[in-house]
Amino acid sequence: MKGLLKGLGVTLKSMTAKKITTSYPDEPFVMPDRFRGIQHFIPDQCIVCNQCARVCPTECITLTGKPNPDPEKKGKVIETFDINFEICILCDLCTEVCPTEAIVMTNNFELASYSRDDLYMDINWLDSNNKNVRKDNNNIGAPQAGKGGAKKDV
Ligand code: SF4
Ligand code: SF4
């Protein structure tokens, strides 16, 4: 009898406790601020320095640039920028080295697909992946501090 009452007590307690389950995917799951999710890429801020591709441990970034069509401006502009999310490990290194914050992490994580081909994301897709940008990077689009750009807190 004592065991039965004890069991009922546990049941009643859990019935009134705050729910920790969510109705995902009906309700979006909000990830923590420091979550490293799928990158957002801002073409206008890229100076085609290639540092992100060089530092990437899985070599999943490919990019090409072309000379700036504006004769008054030096340097290059980005032409293509692709990330292969089959092998990207979302390690954050590409965003850490980027001097202009042209590539930043978001809190987005949904990449599931039936086809591997769908995991190759191009410049337009990465540009449009602009929701839930990580709070650390909420100054994106702001003027950069000097040639090297604004330095992020690590
Ligand atoms: S997050 Fe890491 S693995 Fe993915 S593209 Fe950036 S550097 Fe490469
Ligand atoms: S590190 Fe930044 S600026 Fe340099 S190529 Fe990559 S995204 Fe562009």
Side-chain angles (χ1 to χ4, degrees), residues 15 19 30 33 35 46 48 53 59 68 73 98 103 116 142:
M15 280 172 75
K19 286 182 186 167
V30 180
D33 289 343
F35 181 75
C46 180
V48 200
E59 299 183 355
N68 197 319
K73 291 183 182 167
C98 180
I103 185 165
R116 290 182 166 188

Side-chain angles (χ1 to χ4, degrees), residues 52-91:
C52 53
R54 272 206 298 265
V55 79
C56 178
T58 63
E59 299 183 355
C60 62
I61 296 179
T62 48
L63 62 91
T64 59
K66 60 183 178 186
N68 197 319
D70 184 344
E72 309 234 324
K73 291 183 182 167
K74 290 181 184 168
K76 289 181 175 178
V77 291
I78 195 79
E79 200 167 22
T80 65
F81 191 97
D82 303 294
I83 298 181
N84 176 5
F85 283 101
E86 259 192 283
I87 53 175
C88 172
I89 54 173
L90 296 169
C91 65

Side-chain angles (χ1 to χ4, degrees), residues 82-115:
D82 303 294
I83 298 181
N84 176 5
F85 283 101
E86 259 192 283
I87 53 175
C88 172
I89 54 173
L90 296 169
C91 65
D92 198 15
L93 287 176
C94 53
T95 72
E96 291 294 338
V97 297
C98 180
T100 63
E101 298 202 20
I103 185 165
V104 292
M105 304 304 275
T106 72
N107 284 356
N108 302 328
F109 60 91
E110 289 163 323
L111 277 170
S113 169
Y114 287 107
S115 167

Side-chain angles (χ1 to χ4, degrees), residues 139-151:
N139 62 338
I140 58 167
Q144 299 299 307
K147 194 180 174 190
K151 189 79 186 131

